Amino acid sequence: MSRGMIDIVLYEIDQTIESIERFTTDPGGFLDAYRLTEDERRAFEAWDYGTLYAMGAHPFLLFQVVRSLAVRNGVAIPEIIEQYREAISPHGAPDYIT
């Protein structure tokens, strides 16, 4: 797994409204530009952010993208926070050792 690549993809998704739209409408096409493992790619394509967190995604970057995508879909901030907590809590605290 490549924590760095996961974080790069998260960063790139959240850069512009256009990049969010590209990821949302064609995640596979968006991800083609990045060297991801099969598991990482599956997690992004399914937008399984609990798995991305477990793979080492930086929690701040991950939440920023979760928030951007959820707000775009009309989800309220308190609901976004609750969904995020539920998705990541089974995976414990992040490992910051690099």
Side-chain angles (χ1 to χ4, degrees):
M1 287 184 270
S2 54
R3 281 188 204 173
M5 188 55 65
I6 290 171
D7 290 343
I8 288 168
V9 173
L10 291 170
Y11 177 82
E12 293 295 327
I13 290 170
D14 205 36
Q15 283 306 291
T16 64
I17 292 170
E18 293 80 15
S19 61
I20 291 170
E21 288 295 322
R22 275 192 10 240
F23 176 73
T24 303
T25 58
D26 182 17
F30 184 91
L31 297 170
D32 285 343
Y34 304 97
R35 295 177 58 191
L36 297 167
T37 67
E38 288 181 33
D39 290 338
E40 292 165 346
R41 186 176 180 96
R42 268 193 301 275
F44 272 109
E45 288 176 342
W47 192 229
D48 182 352
Y49 51 87
T51 296
L52 290 169
Y53 178 86
M55 290 177 169
H58 191 284
F60 177 76
L61 287 172
L62 183 60
F63 182 74
Q64 289 298 104
V65 179
V66 167
R67 181 192 49 79
S68 293
L69 294 174
V71 166
R72 176 187 174 278
N73 292 323
V75 181
I77 296 294
E79 188 177 344
I80 295 167
I81 293 169
E82 184 60 30
Q83 289 173 357
Y84 183 77
R85 284 182 182 153
E86 286 177 11
I88 69 168
S89 65
H91 306 292
D95 174 10
Y96 291 110
I97 297 172
T98 56

